[in-house]
Amino acid sequence: MTSFLSLPAISARPIPNALFSLKTPSIQTLSISTHTPSPTTFHFNPNRLAIRSSYADAGVRDDSRSNAIDVVADVRSERIVVLGGSGFVGSAISKAAVSKGIEVISLSRSGRPSYPDAWVDQVTWVSGDVFNVNWDEVLVGATAVVSTLGGFGSEEQMKRINGEANVVAVNAAKEYGIPKFILISVHDYNLPQFLLSNGYFTGKRKAESEVLSKYPGSGIVLRPGFIYGKRRVDGFELPLDLIGEPAEKILKATENFTKPLSSLPASDLLLAPPVSVDDVASAVINGVTDDDFFGIFTIDQIKEAAEKVRA
């Protein structure tokens, strides 16, 4: 497989340089034959613009002939909807998408965030939640939906926000013909079954199943562990990177020693590497722009996808 703007390949036969052949017969004459391009044709749909034009080489020859050359450009503009776009992970995805020239619509209960970062002005902020939103205001014209929905609470609350909310979103995206759905899920921890059966994990897995069944060839499920970065909460900034970044480096440096321990029950709680929120965001961007990137992605695969975007 390959993965919050890319230009599809341009297929064209090489255009030869203009050739001028000058001869000096007994009487000095210069015969120049030029050919103007044929009319350019534009093919448009909401997200792709195709341009086709034929050109002929110009030349000065005794027998002037030229071959038509077709140049085809297929330019795709991306427009993504980020569910929970004002949250910790959602805002990182929105920021990363804006930096790549991708149009972003955020749907969240809090709407536009209060901090004054420049990228915030380039996002369309919609207040609401998936259970009562007018999808016409959000999904029309989108090329992908990215869901960061999830959270903790009572058993019923966790099933609703991690599972049911995402199922509603997946089905709405499918109904509106959105070609991709990307879900931020959770690492497959090797915890005892009684812990994995709580509303948080069962909700996440229910959402994953819905994504993969409705989008078998384009659905993306990212399974990060602990996500670190600078998280804003009620006007304060929590520097989670002060914990996550050193832990990630230590686990990377000691992975040859810790790998044999990974089979021990619940060892993932300590040994699953943390993931930068920027890596998660970059992996999402890779998923948005790379049509060959789909399926379930582990922590290491998320980091690999992020590297492709930064390369």
Side-chain angles (χ1 to χ4, degrees), residues 63-259:
D63 181 14
S64 179
R65 289 175 298 181
S66 59
N67 295 321
I69 300 165
D70 288 335
V71 178
V72 179
D74 188 6
V75 181
R76 183 175 70 183
S77 60
E78 303 290 358
R79 183 184 189 190
I80 67 172
V81 175
V82 182
L83 306 179
S86 58
F88 173 47
V89 177
S91 60
I93 293 169
S94 299
K95 180 180 179 180
V98 166
S99 73
K100 295 294 184 180
I102 298 173
E103 184 181 353
V104 179
I105 298 174
S106 166
L107 173 66
S108 64
R109 285 179 294 178
S110 58
R112 181 188 175 99
S114 58
Y115 44 86
D117 295 4
W119 65 268
V120 173
D121 294 330
Q122 301 180 59
V123 175
T124 300
W125 302 96
V126 179
S127 298
D129 64 56
V130 298
F131 294 109
N132 56 30
V133 68
N134 179 359
W135 289 112
D136 287 340
E137 298 177 359
V138 178
L139 293 180
V140 174
T143 57
V145 174
V146 183
S147 177
T148 67
L149 301 178
F152 295 94
S154 68
E155 186 73 7
E156 289 306 312
Q157 288 174 331
M158 289 191 292
K159 286 181 179 179
R160 181 172 171 82
I161 189 62
N162 294 290
E164 294 170 19
N166 282 305
V167 170
V168 168
V170 171
N171 283 280
K174 189 67 177 179
E175 181 180 343
Y176 276 76
I178 312 303
K180 290 184 182 182
F181 197 102
I182 302 173
L183 174 70
I184 310 302
S185 188
V186 65
H187 175 64
D188 187 16
Y189 287 98
N190 59 352
L191 297 173
Q193 189 57 42
F194 74 91
L195 292 176
L196 293 175
S197 63
N198 73 19
Y200 180 81
F201 290 106
T202 57
K204 287 289 189 181
R205 298 302 177 237
K206 181 178 181 179
E208 289 183 7
S209 178
E210 195 71 12
V211 171
L212 298 175
S213 64
K214 293 294 192 300
Y215 289 88
S218 61
I220 298 170
V221 173
L222 302 183
R223 288 180 171 178
F226 172 66
I227 302 175
Y228 68 85
K230 290 180 171 57
R231 181 169 192 163
R232 292 183 172 96
V233 179
D234 296 330
F236 295 96
E237 193 173 77
L238 298 179
L240 300 179
D241 50 330
L242 295 182
I243 300 172
E245 189 171 0
E248 182 182 19
K249 291 180 178 178
I250 291 171
L251 289 171
K252 178 66 175 176
T254 60
E255 62 180 348
N256 290 336
F257 301 99
T258 58
K259 272 186 178 180

Side-chain angles (χ1 to χ4, degrees), residues 238-306:
L238 298 179
L240 300 179
D241 50 330
L242 295 182
I243 300 172
E245 189 171 0
E248 182 182 19
K249 291 180 178 178
I250 291 171
L251 289 171
K252 178 66 175 176
T254 60
E255 62 180 348
N256 290 336
F257 301 99
T258 58
K259 272 186 178 180
L261 303 176
S262 61
S263 59
L264 297 177
S267 60
D268 277 359
L269 290 175
L270 294 175
L271 301 180
V275 184
S276 164
V277 70
D278 293 330
D279 279 350
V280 175
S282 293
V284 167
I285 301 306
N286 188 56
V288 169
T289 58
D290 186 350
D291 291 338
D292 293 326
F293 186 88
F294 60 90
I296 297 175
F297 293 84
T298 64
I299 294 173
D300 288 340
Q301 290 170 328
I302 290 171
K303 295 179 181 181
E304 290 171 5

